PDB file of all heavy atoms in Angstrom:
ATOM      1  N   THR Z  26     -41.204 -26.656  53.394  1.00  0.00           N
ATOM      2  CA  THR Z  26     -41.034 -25.958  52.128  1.00  0.00           C
ATOM      3  C   THR Z  26     -39.665 -26.241  51.543  1.00  0.00           C
ATOM      4  O   THR Z  26     -39.543 -26.458  50.322  1.00  0.00           O
ATOM      5  CB  THR Z  26     -41.230 -24.397  52.314  1.00  0.00           C
ATOM      6  OG1 THR Z  26     -42.543 -24.215  52.854  1.00  0.00           O
ATOM      7  CG2 THR Z  26     -41.030 -23.665  51.028  1.00  0.00           C
ATOM      8  N   ARG Z  27     -38.677 -26.292  52.364  1.00  0.00           N
ATOM      9  CA  ARG Z  27     -37.356 -26.598  51.870  1.00  0.00           C
ATOM     10  C   ARG Z  27     -37.200 -28.034  51.421  1.00  0.00           C
ATOM     11  O   ARG Z  27     -36.518 -28.319  50.457  1.00  0.00           O
ATOM     12  CB  ARG Z  27     -36.292 -26.267  52.926  1.00  0.00           C
ATOM     13  CG  ARG Z  27     -36.155 -24.764  53.117  1.00  0.00           C
ATOM     14  CD  ARG Z  27     -35.138 -24.436  54.178  1.00  0.00           C
ATOM     15  NE  ARG Z  27     -34.949 -22.992  54.189  1.00  0.00           N
ATOM     16  CZ  ARG Z  27     -34.815 -22.277  55.319  1.00  0.00           C
ATOM     17  NH1 ARG Z  27     -34.846 -22.898  56.487  1.00  0.00           N
ATOM     18  NH2 ARG Z  27     -34.632 -21.000  55.272  1.00  0.00           N
ATOM     19  N   LEU Z  28     -37.921 -28.931  52.090  1.00  0.00           N
ATOM     20  CA  LEU Z  28     -37.878 -30.317  51.684  1.00  0.00           C
ATOM     21  C   LEU Z  28     -38.567 -30.528  50.354  1.00  0.00           C
ATOM     22  O   LEU Z  28     -38.096 -31.229  49.490  1.00  0.00           O
ATOM     23  CB  LEU Z  28     -38.589 -31.220  52.709  1.00  0.00           C
ATOM     24  CG  LEU Z  28     -37.786 -31.745  53.859  1.00  0.00           C
ATOM     25  CD1 LEU Z  28     -38.654 -32.616  54.792  1.00  0.00           C
ATOM     26  CD2 LEU Z  28     -36.565 -32.546  53.406  1.00  0.00           C
ATOM     27  N   THR Z  29     -39.741 -29.894  50.190  1.00  0.00           N
ATOM     28  CA  THR Z  29     -40.559 -30.186  49.025  1.00  0.00           C
ATOM     29  C   THR Z  29     -40.211 -29.248  47.880  1.00  0.00           C
ATOM     30  O   THR Z  29     -40.475 -29.580  46.718  1.00  0.00           O
ATOM     31  CB  THR Z  29     -42.065 -29.980  49.327  1.00  0.00           C
ATOM     32  OG1 THR Z  29     -42.327 -28.605  49.722  1.00  0.00           O
ATOM     33  CG2 THR Z  29     -42.519 -30.931  50.428  1.00  0.00           C
ATOM     34  N   GLY Z  30     -39.699 -28.036  48.136  1.00  0.00           N
ATOM     35  CA  GLY Z  30     -39.406 -27.078  47.103  1.00  0.00           C
ATOM     36  C   GLY Z  30     -40.631 -26.342  46.631  1.00  0.00           C
ATOM     37  O   GLY Z  30     -40.620 -25.613  45.620  1.00  0.00           O
ATOM     38  N   SER Z  31     -41.767 -26.475  47.352  1.00  0.00           N
ATOM     39  CA  SER Z  31     -42.983 -25.842  46.934  1.00  0.00           C
ATOM     40  C   SER Z  31     -43.824 -25.486  48.203  1.00  0.00           C
ATOM     41  O   SER Z  31     -44.065 -26.337  49.033  1.00  0.00           O
ATOM     42  CB  SER Z  31     -43.787 -26.784  46.079  1.00  0.00           C
ATOM     43  OG  SER Z  31     -45.147 -26.482  46.045  1.00  0.00           O
ATOM     44  N   ALA Z  32     -44.249 -24.206  48.245  1.00  0.00           N
ATOM     45  CA  ALA Z  32     -45.067 -23.812  49.390  1.00  0.00           C
ATOM     46  C   ALA Z  32     -46.407 -24.583  49.448  1.00  0.00           C
ATOM     47  O   ALA Z  32     -46.842 -24.963  50.509  1.00  0.00           O
ATOM     48  CB  ALA Z  32     -45.315 -22.302  49.338  1.00  0.00           C
ATOM     49  N   ASP Z  33     -46.987 -24.793  48.278  1.00  0.00           N
ATOM     50  CA  ASP Z  33     -48.260 -25.546  48.239  1.00  0.00           C
ATOM     51  C   ASP Z  33     -48.067 -26.970  48.704  1.00  0.00           C
ATOM     52  O   ASP Z  33     -48.838 -27.479  49.513  1.00  0.00           O
ATOM     53  CB  ASP Z  33     -48.844 -25.547  46.826  1.00  0.00           C
ATOM     54  CG  ASP Z  33     -49.324 -24.170  46.411  1.00  0.00           C
ATOM     55  OD1 ASP Z  33     -49.614 -23.315  47.283  1.00  0.00           O
ATOM     56  OD2 ASP Z  33     -49.394 -23.938  45.138  1.00  0.00           O
ATOM     57  N   ARG Z  34     -47.043 -27.620  48.196  1.00  0.00           N
ATOM     58  CA  ARG Z  34     -46.746 -29.026  48.612  1.00  0.00           C
ATOM     59  C   ARG Z  34     -46.407 -29.054  50.077  1.00  0.00           C
ATOM     60  O   ARG Z  34     -46.786 -30.005  50.798  1.00  0.00           O
ATOM     61  CB  ARG Z  34     -45.666 -29.593  47.716  1.00  0.00           C
ATOM     62  CG  ARG Z  34     -45.251 -30.989  48.054  1.00  0.00           C
ATOM     63  CD  ARG Z  34     -46.274 -31.992  47.513  1.00  0.00           C
ATOM     64  NE  ARG Z  34     -45.822 -33.315  47.920  1.00  0.00           N
ATOM     65  CZ  ARG Z  34     -46.476 -34.065  48.843  1.00  0.00           C
ATOM     66  NH1 ARG Z  34     -47.606 -33.626  49.353  1.00  0.00           N
ATOM     67  NH2 ARG Z  34     -45.994 -35.210  49.214  1.00  0.00           N
ATOM     68  N   ALA Z  35     -45.668 -28.061  50.572  1.00  0.00           N
ATOM     69  CA  ALA Z  35     -45.290 -28.008  51.963  1.00  0.00           C
ATOM     70  C   ALA Z  35     -46.514 -27.935  52.868  1.00  0.00           C
ATOM     71  O   ALA Z  35     -46.576 -28.632  53.900  1.00  0.00           O
ATOM     72  CB  ALA Z  35     -44.359 -26.832  52.257  1.00  0.00           C
ATOM     73  N   GLU Z  36     -47.466 -27.154  52.458  1.00  0.00           N
ATOM     74  CA  GLU Z  36     -48.690 -27.052  53.257  1.00  0.00           C
ATOM     75  C   GLU Z  36     -49.448 -28.381  53.313  1.00  0.00           C
ATOM     76  O   GLU Z  36     -49.975 -28.779  54.374  1.00  0.00           O
ATOM     77  CB  GLU Z  36     -49.622 -25.981  52.679  1.00  0.00           C
ATOM     78  CG  GLU Z  36     -49.107 -24.589  52.930  1.00  0.00           C
ATOM     79  CD  GLU Z  36     -49.955 -23.488  52.250  1.00  0.00           C
ATOM     80  OE1 GLU Z  36     -50.979 -23.803  51.637  1.00  0.00           O
ATOM     81  OE2 GLU Z  36     -49.583 -22.294  52.382  1.00  0.00           O
ATOM     82  N   GLU Z  37     -49.442 -29.103  52.193  1.00  0.00           N
ATOM     83  CA  GLU Z  37     -50.067 -30.460  52.215  1.00  0.00           C
ATOM     84  C   GLU Z  37     -49.305 -31.387  53.100  1.00  0.00           C
ATOM     85  O   GLU Z  37     -49.924 -32.166  53.857  1.00  0.00           O
ATOM     86  CB  GLU Z  37     -50.029 -31.016  50.771  1.00  0.00           C
ATOM     87  CG  GLU Z  37     -50.921 -30.280  49.791  1.00  0.00           C
ATOM     88  CD  GLU Z  37     -50.717 -30.772  48.374  1.00  0.00           C
ATOM     89  OE1 GLU Z  37     -50.011 -31.778  48.146  1.00  0.00           O
ATOM     90  OE2 GLU Z  37     -51.244 -30.096  47.431  1.00  0.00           O
ATOM     91  N   VAL Z  38     -47.991 -31.339  53.087  1.00  0.00           N
ATOM     92  CA  VAL Z  38     -47.141 -32.239  53.925  1.00  0.00           C
ATOM     93  C   VAL Z  38     -47.394 -31.891  55.387  1.00  0.00           C
ATOM     94  O   VAL Z  38     -47.621 -32.794  56.199  1.00  0.00           O
ATOM     95  CB  VAL Z  38     -45.653 -32.145  53.542  1.00  0.00           C
ATOM     96  CG1 VAL Z  38     -44.770 -32.760  54.607  1.00  0.00           C
ATOM     97  CG2 VAL Z  38     -45.412 -32.782  52.190  1.00  0.00           C
ATOM     98  N   VAL Z  39     -47.384 -30.602  55.741  1.00  0.00           N
ATOM     99  CA  VAL Z  39     -47.581 -30.242  57.143  1.00  0.00           C
ATOM    100  C   VAL Z  39     -48.971 -30.582  57.602  1.00  0.00           C
ATOM    101  O   VAL Z  39     -49.159 -31.090  58.735  1.00  0.00           O
ATOM    102  CB  VAL Z  39     -47.244 -28.744  57.329  1.00  0.00           C
ATOM    103  CG1 VAL Z  39     -47.730 -28.268  58.724  1.00  0.00           C
ATOM    104  CG2 VAL Z  39     -45.791 -28.460  57.143  1.00  0.00           C
ATOM    105  N   ALA Z  40     -49.971 -30.385  56.743  1.00  0.00           N
ATOM    106  CA  ALA Z  40     -51.358 -30.755  57.129  1.00  0.00           C
ATOM    107  C   ALA Z  40     -51.457 -32.257  57.453  1.00  0.00           C
ATOM    108  O   ALA Z  40     -52.028 -32.633  58.463  1.00  0.00           O
ATOM    109  CB  ALA Z  40     -52.336 -30.342  56.022  1.00  0.00           C
ATOM    110  N   GLU Z  41     -50.891 -33.065  56.584  1.00  0.00           N
ATOM    111  CA  GLU Z  41     -50.914 -34.522  56.847  1.00  0.00           C
ATOM    112  C   GLU Z  41     -50.102 -34.849  58.082  1.00  0.00           C
ATOM    113  O   GLU Z  41     -50.482 -35.711  58.884  1.00  0.00           O
ATOM    114  CB  GLU Z  41     -50.383 -35.266  55.607  1.00  0.00           C
ATOM    115  CG  GLU Z  41     -50.239 -36.768  55.855  1.00  0.00           C
ATOM    116  CD  GLU Z  41     -51.541 -37.477  56.170  1.00  0.00           C
ATOM    117  OE1 GLU Z  41     -52.653 -36.997  55.798  1.00  0.00           O
ATOM    118  OE2 GLU Z  41     -51.476 -38.565  56.831  1.00  0.00           O
ATOM    119  N   ALA Z  42     -48.968 -34.188  58.278  1.00  0.00           N
ATOM    120  CA  ALA Z  42     -48.144 -34.432  59.458  1.00  0.00           C
ATOM    121  C   ALA Z  42     -48.919 -34.088  60.727  1.00  0.00           C
ATOM    122  O   ALA Z  42     -48.851 -34.837  61.722  1.00  0.00           O
ATOM    123  CB  ALA Z  42     -46.846 -33.658  59.377  1.00  0.00           C
ATOM    124  N   LEU Z  43     -49.631 -32.994  60.705  1.00  0.00           N
ATOM    125  CA  LEU Z  43     -50.422 -32.592  61.890  1.00  0.00           C
ATOM    126  C   LEU Z  43     -51.550 -33.607  62.189  1.00  0.00           C
ATOM    127  O   LEU Z  43     -51.855 -33.843  63.376  1.00  0.00           O
ATOM    128  CB  LEU Z  43     -50.969 -31.182  61.720  1.00  0.00           C
ATOM    129  CG  LEU Z  43     -49.874 -30.106  61.699  1.00  0.00           C
ATOM    130  CD1 LEU Z  43     -50.488 -28.723  61.492  1.00  0.00           C
ATOM    131  CD2 LEU Z  43     -49.043 -30.102  62.994  1.00  0.00           C
ATOM    132  N   VAL Z  44     -52.119 -34.182  61.146  1.00  0.00           N
ATOM    133  CA  VAL Z  44     -53.134 -35.228  61.365  1.00  0.00           C
ATOM    134  C   VAL Z  44     -52.439 -36.404  62.048  1.00  0.00           C
ATOM    135  O   VAL Z  44     -52.970 -36.934  63.050  1.00  0.00           O
ATOM    136  CB  VAL Z  44     -53.746 -35.705  60.009  1.00  0.00           C
ATOM    137  CG1 VAL Z  44     -54.561 -37.008  60.206  1.00  0.00           C
ATOM    138  CG2 VAL Z  44     -54.640 -34.557  59.445  1.00  0.00           C
ATOM    139  N   ARG Z  45     -51.242 -36.785  61.585  1.00  0.00           N
ATOM    140  CA  ARG Z  45     -50.535 -37.884  62.220  1.00  0.00           C
ATOM    141  C   ARG Z  45     -50.101 -37.556  63.635  1.00  0.00           C
ATOM    142  O   ARG Z  45     -50.097 -38.424  64.513  1.00  0.00           O
ATOM    143  CB  ARG Z  45     -49.312 -38.296  61.359  1.00  0.00           C
ATOM    144  CG  ARG Z  45     -49.703 -38.884  60.044  1.00  0.00           C
ATOM    145  CD  ARG Z  45     -48.458 -39.317  59.246  1.00  0.00           C
ATOM    146  NE  ARG Z  45     -48.858 -39.749  57.902  1.00  0.00           N
ATOM    147  CZ  ARG Z  45     -47.953 -40.246  57.057  1.00  0.00           C
ATOM    148  NH1 ARG Z  45     -46.698 -40.453  57.421  1.00  0.00           N
ATOM    149  NH2 ARG Z  45     -48.332 -40.628  55.858  1.00  0.00           N
ATOM    150  N   VAL Z  46     -49.694 -36.283  63.855  1.00  0.00           N
ATOM    151  CA  VAL Z  46     -49.300 -35.872  65.202  1.00  0.00           C
ATOM    152  C   VAL Z  46     -50.521 -35.991  66.132  1.00  0.00           C
ATOM    153  O   VAL Z  46     -50.420 -36.532  67.278  1.00  0.00           O
ATOM    154  CB  VAL Z  46     -48.774 -34.421  65.216  1.00  0.00           C
ATOM    155  CG1 VAL Z  46     -48.763 -33.810  66.580  1.00  0.00           C
ATOM    156  CG2 VAL Z  46     -47.401 -34.369  64.598  1.00  0.00           C
ATOM    157  N   SER Z  47     -51.648 -35.537  65.690  1.00  0.00           N
ATOM    158  CA  SER Z  47     -52.878 -35.623  66.527  1.00  0.00           C
ATOM    159  C   SER Z  47     -53.220 -37.043  66.855  1.00  0.00           C
ATOM    160  O   SER Z  47     -53.550 -37.378  68.013  1.00  0.00           O
ATOM    161  CB  SER Z  47     -54.013 -34.943  65.765  1.00  0.00           C
ATOM    162  OG  SER Z  47     -55.218 -35.020  66.528  1.00  0.00           O
ATOM    163  N   ARG Z  48     -53.130 -37.921  65.850  1.00  0.00           N
ATOM    164  CA  ARG Z  48     -53.439 -39.332  66.089  1.00  0.00           C
ATOM    165  C   ARG Z  48     -52.420 -40.001  66.995  1.00  0.00           C
ATOM    166  O   ARG Z  48     -52.772 -40.915  67.747  1.00  0.00           O
ATOM    167  CB  ARG Z  48     -53.482 -40.075  64.756  1.00  0.00           C
ATOM    168  CG  ARG Z  48     -54.686 -39.766  63.908  1.00  0.00           C
ATOM    169  CD  ARG Z  48     -54.651 -40.603  62.642  1.00  0.00           C
ATOM    170  NE  ARG Z  48     -55.665 -40.117  61.706  1.00  0.00           N
ATOM    171  CZ  ARG Z  48     -55.610 -40.203  60.417  1.00  0.00           C
ATOM    172  NH1 ARG Z  48     -54.527 -40.773  59.843  1.00  0.00           N
ATOM    173  NH2 ARG Z  48     -56.572 -39.800  59.625  1.00  0.00           N
ATOM    174  N   GLY Z  49     -51.190 -39.590  66.866  1.00  0.00           N
ATOM    175  CA  GLY Z  49     -50.113 -40.292  67.615  1.00  0.00           C
ATOM    176  C   GLY Z  49     -49.670 -39.578  68.888  1.00  0.00           C
ATOM    177  O   GLY Z  49     -48.677 -39.952  69.499  1.00  0.00           O
ATOM    178  N   TRP Z  50     -50.352 -38.510  69.266  1.00  0.00           N
ATOM    179  CA  TRP Z  50     -49.930 -37.706  70.392  1.00  0.00           C
ATOM    180  C   TRP Z  50     -49.784 -38.518  71.689  1.00  0.00           C
ATOM    181  O   TRP Z  50     -48.834 -38.315  72.449  1.00  0.00           O
ATOM    182  CB  TRP Z  50     -50.941 -36.564  70.600  1.00  0.00           C
ATOM    183  CG  TRP Z  50     -50.732 -35.749  71.849  1.00  0.00           C
ATOM    184  CD1 TRP Z  50     -51.606 -35.535  72.852  1.00  0.00           C
ATOM    185  CD2 TRP Z  50     -49.544 -35.022  72.207  1.00  0.00           C
ATOM    186  NE1 TRP Z  50     -51.079 -34.750  73.816  1.00  0.00           N
ATOM    187  CE2 TRP Z  50     -49.789 -34.380  73.436  1.00  0.00           C
ATOM    188  CE3 TRP Z  50     -48.316 -34.798  71.613  1.00  0.00           C
ATOM    189  CZ2 TRP Z  50     -48.885 -33.591  74.100  1.00  0.00           C
ATOM    190  CZ3 TRP Z  50     -47.374 -33.987  72.284  1.00  0.00           C
ATOM    191  CH2 TRP Z  50     -47.645 -33.391  73.494  1.00  0.00           C
TER     192      TRP Z  50
END
Side-chain angles (χ1 to χ4, degrees):
T26 300
R27 289 181 174 139
L28 272 180
T29 63
S31 159
D33 292 337
R34 179 77 183 110
E36 289 176 2
E37 293 171 11
V38 166
V39 170
E41 174 61 25
L43 293 178
V44 168
R45 292 183 188 186
V46 163
S47 178
R48 288 182 189 151
W50 173 238

